[in-house]
Amino acid sequence: MASRSADSRTGNGSSPAVDAVSLAIIEQLQEDGRRPYAAIGKAVGLSEAAVRQRVQKLLDQGVMQIVAVTDPLTVGLRRQAMVGINVEGDLDPVAEALSAMAECEYVVMTAGSFDLMVEIVCEDDDHLLETINKRIRTLPGVRSTESFVYLKLKKQTYMWGTR
């Protein structure tokens, strides 16, 4: 899976402009990430070459990624949890350290009860315990953690990009 910073802002601090045609292309790819550019072009009223150029621009700007999404259970990752973390001092070094951990799939700075929320995907309970206890809680600046272990995933979608 490709790795990139979740911050898709441009150098001037504003989000990249995404017009209605680009949103339609994104929607087509969310339905089927392997859909041919020619088919997308027909659906959105552009040539295959124009779709290719727009997709590349969206990728380059960090607006979207094209990745294979797996069900963790089918690839041997049987334990998922969301971990709320409270930090003393600057959040950035802790968020960067968490982002570098393979088990941390999602790292977000928040306002509210926790400074950071981290989604962790592990092989089993022992792996989850080792990740939280030996790796996360020992990071400089981590004051406390609270774990929310997933019992059953009812919905997971990536379609919000075009609503």
Side-chain angles (χ1 to χ4, degrees):
M1 182 186 269
S3 171
R4 70 162 177 81
S5 170
D7 187 355
S8 61
R9 299 199 177 265
T10 60
N12 64 9
S14 64
S15 297
V18 179
D19 65 11
V21 174
S22 291
L23 286 174
I25 291 169
I26 292 169
E27 189 173 74
Q28 290 287 309
L29 289 168
Q30 285 178 324
E31 289 174 10
D32 179 358
R34 294 174 29 164
R35 183 166 287 155
Y37 290 150
I40 295 171
K42 273 187 185 180
V44 303
L46 293 177
S47 69
E48 179 179 349
V51 170
R52 180 175 280 107
Q53 288 176 338
R54 281 191 180 241
V55 168
Q56 191 59 53
K57 183 176 179 183
L58 292 167
L59 293 168
D60 291 345
Q61 290 179 326
V63 171
M64 69 174 194
Q65 297 178 64
I66 299 174
V67 298
V69 178
T70 62
D71 176 352
L73 293 174
T74 64
V75 293
L77 301 170
R78 306 213 175 281
R79 180 54 68 210
Q80 293 176 270
M82 185 66 70
V83 179
I85 302 171
N86 286 308
V87 175
E88 292 182 36
D90 190 1
L91 300 179
D92 282 321
V94 177
E96 289 298 321
L98 293 165
S99 296
M101 293 181 191
E103 295 86 355
C104 298
E105 296 293 327
Y106 180 80
V107 178
V108 63
M109 295 176 180
T110 64
S113 299
F114 300 104
D115 298 314
L116 299 167
M117 293 293 292
V118 180
E119 184 175 38
I120 299 176
V121 180
C122 294
E123 295 168 9
D124 54 29
D125 287 336
D126 288 336
H127 185 197
L128 177 64
L129 177 60
E130 186 273 331
T131 301
I132 294 171
N133 196 44
K134 305 279 188 207
R135 297 179 60 212
I136 293 175
R137 288 183 177 156
T138 60
L139 288 173
V142 171
R143 184 168 23 107
S144 64
T145 65
E146 185 172 347
S147 302
F148 304 90
V149 175
Y150 297 6
L151 298 176
K152 185 174 186 175
L153 183 62
K154 293 297 283 185
K155 180 179 180 180
Q156 181 173 341
T157 181
Y158 299 98
M159 300 301 284
W160 44 264
T162 59
R163 293 195 254 138

Coordinates of all heavy atoms in Angstrom, one line a residue, residues 20-71:
A20 N -16.4 19.5 -10.3 CA -17.4 18.5 -10.4 C -17.0 17.3 -11.2 O -17.3 16.1 -10.9 CB -18.7 19.1 -10.9
V21 N -16.2 17.6 -12.3 CA -15.7 16.5 -13.1 C -14.7 15.6 -12.4 O -14.8 14.4 -12.5 CB -15.1 17.0 -14.4 CG1 -14.5 15.9 -15.3 CG2 -16.2 17.8 -15.3
S22 N -13.8 16.2 -11.7 CA -12.9 15.4 -10.9 C -13.6 14.6 -9.8 O -13.2 13.4 -9.6 CB -11.8 16.3 -10.2 OG -11.0 16.9 -11.2
L23 N -14.6 15.2 -9.2 CA -15.4 14.4 -8.2 C -16.1 13.2 -8.9 O -16.2 12.1 -8.3 CB -16.4 15.3 -7.5 CG -15.9 16.3 -6.5 CD1 -17.0 17.2 -6.0 CD2 -15.3 15.6 -5.3
A24 N -16.6 13.4 -10.1 CA -17.2 12.3 -10.8 C -16.2 11.2 -11.2 O -16.5 10.0 -11.1 CB -17.8 12.8 -12.1
I25 N -14.9 11.6 -11.5 CA -13.9 10.6 -11.7 C -13.6 9.9 -10.5 O -13.5 8.6 -10.5 CB -12.6 11.3 -12.3 CG1 -12.9 11.9 -13.7 CG2 -11.4 10.4 -12.2 CD1 -11.8 12.8 -14.2
I26 N -13.5 10.6 -9.3 CA -13.2 9.9 -8.0 C -14.3 8.9 -7.7 O -14.1 7.8 -7.3 CB -13.1 11.0 -6.9 CG1 -11.8 11.8 -7.1 CG2 -13.1 10.3 -5.6 CD1 -11.7 13.0 -6.2
E27 N -15.6 9.3 -8.0 CA -16.7 8.4 -7.7 C -16.6 7.2 -8.6 O -16.9 6.1 -8.1 CB -18.0 9.2 -8.0 CG -19.2 8.4 -7.6 CD -20.5 9.3 -7.7 OE1 -20.9 9.5 -8.9 OE2 -21.0 9.8 -6.7
Q28 N -16.2 7.3 -9.8 CA -16.1 6.2 -10.7 C -15.0 5.2 -10.2 O -15.2 4.0 -10.1 CB -15.7 6.6 -12.1 CG -16.8 7.3 -12.9 CD -17.8 6.4 -13.3 OE1 -17.5 5.3 -14.0 NE2 -19.1 6.7 -13.0
L29 N -13.9 5.8 -9.7 CA -12.8 4.9 -9.2 C -13.2 4.3 -7.8 O -12.7 3.2 -7.5 CB -11.5 5.8 -9.1 CG -10.9 6.1 -10.4 CD1 -9.8 7.2 -10.2 CD2 -10.3 4.8 -11.1
Q30 N -14.0 5.0 -7.0 CA -14.5 4.4 -5.8 C -15.4 3.2 -6.0 O -15.3 2.3 -5.2 CB -15.2 5.5 -4.9 CG -14.2 6.4 -4.3 CD -14.9 7.5 -3.5 OE1 -16.0 8.0 -3.8 NE2 -14.3 7.9 -2.4
E31 N -16.1 3.2 -7.1 CA -17.0 2.1 -7.4 C -16.1 0.9 -7.9 O -16.4 -0.2 -7.6 CB -18.0 2.5 -8.5 CG -19.1 3.4 -8.0 CD -20.0 3.9 -9.1 OE1 -19.9 3.4 -10.2 OE2 -20.8 4.8 -8.8
D32 N -15.0 1.2 -8.6 CA -14.1 0.2 -9.2 C -12.8 0.8 -9.5 O -12.7 1.5 -10.5 CB -14.7 -0.4 -10.4 CG -13.8 -1.5 -11.0 OD1 -12.7 -1.8 -10.5 OD2 -14.2 -2.1 -12.1
G33 N -11.8 0.6 -8.6 CA -10.5 1.2 -8.7 C -9.8 0.8 -10.0 O -8.7 1.4 -10.3
R34 N -10.2 -0.3 -10.6 CA -9.6 -0.8 -11.8 C -10.4 -0.5 -13.1 O -10.0 -0.9 -14.2 CB -9.4 -2.3 -11.7 CG -8.5 -2.7 -10.6 CD -8.4 -4.2 -10.3 NE -8.7 -5.0 -11.5 CZ -8.4 -6.3 -11.7 NH1 -7.8 -6.9 -10.7 NH2 -8.7 -6.9 -12.7
R35 N -11.4 0.4 -12.9 CA -12.2 0.8 -14.1 C -11.2 1.5 -15.1 O -10.5 2.4 -14.8 CB -13.3 1.7 -13.7 CG -14.2 2.1 -14.8 CD -15.5 2.8 -14.3 NE -16.3 1.7 -13.7 CZ -17.2 1.9 -12.7 NH1 -17.4 3.1 -12.3 NH2 -17.9 0.9 -12.3
P36 N -11.3 1.1 -16.4 CA -10.5 1.7 -17.5 C -10.8 3.2 -17.6 O -11.9 3.6 -17.5 CB -10.9 0.9 -18.7 CG -11.5 -0.3 -18.2 CD -12.2 0.0 -16.9
Y37 N -9.7 3.9 -18.0 CA -9.9 5.3 -18.2 C -10.9 5.6 -19.3 O -11.6 6.6 -19.2 CB -8.5 6.0 -18.5 CG -7.6 6.1 -17.3 CD1 -6.2 6.0 -17.5 CD2 -8.1 6.2 -16.0 CE1 -5.4 6.1 -16.4 CE2 -7.2 6.2 -14.9 CZ -5.9 6.2 -15.1 OH -5.0 6.3 -14.0
A38 N -10.9 4.8 -20.3 CA -11.9 5.0 -21.4 C -13.3 4.9 -20.9 O -14.2 5.7 -21.3 CB -11.6 4.0 -22.5
A39 N -13.6 4.0 -20.0 CA -14.9 3.8 -19.5 C -15.3 5.0 -18.6 O -16.4 5.5 -18.6 CB -15.1 2.5 -18.7
I40 N -14.3 5.5 -17.8 CA -14.5 6.6 -16.9 C -14.8 7.8 -17.8 O -15.7 8.6 -17.5 CB -13.3 6.9 -16.0 CG1 -13.1 5.7 -15.0 CG2 -13.4 8.2 -15.3 CD1 -11.8 5.7 -14.2
G41 N -14.0 8.0 -18.9 CA -14.2 9.1 -19.8 C -15.6 9.2 -20.4 O -16.2 10.2 -20.4
K42 N -16.1 8.0 -20.8 CA -17.5 7.9 -21.3 C -18.5 8.4 -20.2 O -19.4 9.1 -20.5 CB -17.9 6.5 -21.7 CG -17.5 6.2 -23.1 CD -18.1 4.8 -23.4 CE -17.6 4.4 -24.8 NZ -18.1 3.1 -25.2
A43 N -18.3 8.0 -19.0 CA -19.2 8.3 -17.9 C -19.2 9.8 -17.5 O -20.2 10.3 -17.1 CB -18.9 7.4 -16.7
V44 N -18.0 10.4 -17.7 CA -17.9 11.8 -17.2 C -17.8 12.8 -18.4 O -17.7 14.0 -18.1 CB -16.7 12.0 -16.2 CG1 -16.9 11.1 -15.0 CG2 -15.4 11.8 -16.9
G45 N -17.7 12.3 -19.6 CA -17.7 13.2 -20.8 C -16.3 13.7 -21.1 O -16.2 14.9 -21.7
L46 N -15.3 13.0 -20.9 CA -13.9 13.3 -21.2 C -13.3 12.2 -22.1 O -13.7 11.1 -22.1 CB -13.1 13.6 -20.0 CG -13.4 14.7 -19.1 CD1 -12.5 14.7 -17.8 CD2 -13.3 16.1 -19.8
S47 N -12.2 12.6 -22.7 CA -11.4 11.6 -23.4 C -10.6 10.8 -22.4 O -10.4 11.2 -21.3 CB -10.4 12.3 -24.4 OG -9.4 12.9 -23.6
E48 N -10.1 9.6 -22.9 CA -9.3 8.7 -22.0 C -8.0 9.5 -21.6 O -7.7 9.4 -20.4 CB -8.9 7.5 -22.8 CG -8.0 6.5 -22.0 CD -7.7 5.3 -22.8 OE1 -8.3 5.1 -23.9 OE2 -6.8 4.6 -22.4
A49 N -7.4 10.2 -22.5 CA -6.2 11.0 -22.1 C -6.5 12.1 -21.0 O -5.7 12.3 -20.1 CB -5.6 11.6 -23.4
A50 N -7.6 12.7 -21.2 CA -8.0 13.8 -20.2 C -8.2 13.2 -18.8 O -7.8 13.7 -17.8 CB -9.2 14.6 -20.7
V51 N -8.9 12.0 -18.8 CA -9.1 11.3 -17.5 C -7.8 10.9 -16.9 O -7.5 11.1 -15.7 CB -10.0 10.1 -17.7 CG1 -10.0 9.2 -16.4 CG2 -11.4 10.5 -18.1
R52 N -6.9 10.4 -17.7 CA -5.5 10.0 -17.2 C -4.8 11.2 -16.6 O -4.2 11.1 -15.5 CB -4.7 9.4 -18.4 CG -3.3 8.9 -18.0 CD -2.5 8.2 -19.1 NE -3.0 6.8 -19.2 CZ -3.7 6.4 -20.2 NH1 -4.1 7.1 -21.2 NH2 -4.1 5.1 -20.2
Q53 N -4.9 12.3 -17.3 CA -4.2 13.5 -16.8 C -4.8 14.0 -15.5 O -4.1 14.3 -14.5 CB -4.3 14.7 -17.8 CG -3.4 14.4 -19.0 CD -3.5 15.6 -20.0 OE1 -4.6 16.2 -20.1 NE2 -2.5 15.7 -20.9
R54 N -6.1 14.0 -15.4 CA -6.8 14.4 -14.2 C -6.5 13.5 -13.0 O -6.3 13.9 -11.9 CB -8.3 14.5 -14.4 CG -8.7 15.8 -15.1 CD -10.2 15.9 -15.0 NE -10.7 17.1 -15.7 CZ -11.3 18.1 -15.1 NH1 -11.6 18.0 -13.8 NH2 -11.7 19.2 -15.7
V55 N -6.5 12.1 -13.3 CA -6.2 11.2 -12.2 C -4.8 11.4 -11.7 O -4.6 11.4 -10.5 CB -6.4 9.7 -12.7 CG1 -5.8 8.7 -11.7 CG2 -7.9 9.4 -12.9
Q56 N -3.9 11.6 -12.6 CA -2.5 11.8 -12.2 C -2.4 13.1 -11.3 O -1.7 13.1 -10.3 CB -1.6 11.9 -13.4 CG -0.1 11.9 -13.0 CD 0.3 10.6 -12.2 OE1 0.0 9.5 -12.6 NE2 0.8 10.8 -11.0
K57 N -3.1 14.1 -11.7 CA -3.1 15.4 -11.0 C -3.7 15.2 -9.6 O -3.1 15.7 -8.6 CB -3.8 16.5 -11.7 CG -3.8 17.8 -11.0 CD -4.5 18.9 -11.8 CE -4.5 20.2 -11.1 NZ -5.2 21.3 -11.9
L58 N -4.8 14.4 -9.5 CA -5.4 14.2 -8.2 C -4.5 13.3 -7.3 O -4.4 13.6 -6.1 CB -6.7 13.4 -8.4 CG -7.8 14.2 -9.0 CD1 -9.0 13.3 -9.5 CD2 -8.3 15.3 -8.1
L59 N -3.7 12.4 -7.9 CA -2.8 11.6 -7.1 C -1.6 12.5 -6.7 O -1.2 12.5 -5.5 CB -2.2 10.5 -8.0 CG -3.2 9.4 -8.3 CD1 -2.7 8.5 -9.4 CD2 -3.6 8.6 -7.1
D60 N -1.1 13.3 -7.6 CA 0.1 14.2 -7.3 C -0.3 15.2 -6.2 O 0.6 15.5 -5.4 CB 0.5 14.9 -8.5 CG 1.2 14.0 -9.6 OD1 1.5 12.9 -9.2 OD2 1.3 14.5 -10.7
Q61 N -1.5 15.7 -6.2 CA -1.9 16.7 -5.2 C -2.3 16.0 -3.8 O -2.5 16.7 -2.9 CB -3.2 17.5 -5.7 CG -2.9 18.4 -6.8 CD -4.2 19.1 -7.3 OE1 -5.3 18.5 -7.2 NE2 -4.0 20.3 -7.7
G62 N -2.3 14.7 -3.8 CA -2.7 14.0 -2.6 C -4.2 14.1 -2.3 O -4.6 13.8 -1.2
V63 N -5.0 14.4 -3.3 CA -6.4 14.4 -3.1 C -6.9 13.0 -2.9 O -7.9 12.7 -2.2 CB -7.1 15.1 -4.3 CG1 -8.6 14.9 -4.3 CG2 -6.7 16.5 -4.4
M64 N -6.3 12.0 -3.6 CA -6.7 10.6 -3.5 C -5.6 9.7 -3.7 O -4.5 10.1 -4.1 CB -7.8 10.3 -4.6 CG -7.3 10.3 -6.0 SD -8.6 9.7 -7.1 CE -7.6 9.4 -8.5
Q65 N -5.8 8.4 -3.3 CA -4.9 7.3 -3.5 C -5.7 6.2 -4.2 O -6.8 6.1 -4.0 CB -4.3 6.8 -2.2 CG -3.5 7.7 -1.4 CD -3.1 7.0 -0.1 OE1 -2.4 6.0 -0.1 NE2 -3.6 7.5 1.0
I66 N -5.0 5.4 -5.0 CA -5.6 4.2 -5.5 C -4.9 3.0 -4.9 O -3.7 2.9 -5.1 CB -5.5 4.2 -7.0 CG1 -6.2 5.4 -7.6 CG2 -6.1 2.8 -7.6 CD1 -6.1 5.5 -9.1
V67 N -5.6 2.3 -4.0 CA -5.0 1.2 -3.2 C -5.9 0.0 -3.2 O -7.1 0.1 -3.4 CB -4.7 1.7 -1.8 CG1 -3.7 2.8 -1.8 CG2 -5.9 2.1 -1.0
A68 N -5.3 -1.1 -2.8 CA -6.1 -2.3 -2.6 C -6.5 -2.3 -1.1 O -5.6 -2.2 -0.3 CB -5.3 -3.6 -3.0
V69 N -7.7 -2.4 -0.8 CA -8.2 -2.4 0.6 C -8.6 -3.9 0.9 O -9.3 -4.5 0.2 CB -9.4 -1.5 0.8 CG1 -10.0 -1.6 2.2 CG2 -9.1 -0.1 0.4
T70 N -8.0 -4.4 2.0 CA -8.2 -5.7 2.4 C -9.1 -5.8 3.6 O -9.2 -4.8 4.4 CB -6.9 -6.5 2.7 OG1 -6.3 -5.8 3.8 CG2 -6.0 -6.5 1.5
D71 N -9.7 -6.9 3.9 CA -10.3 -7.2 5.1 C -9.2 -7.8 6.0 O -8.7 -8.8 5.7 CB -11.4 -8.3 4.9 CG -12.1 -8.7 6.2 OD1 -11.6 -8.3 7.3 OD2 -13.1 -9.4 6.1

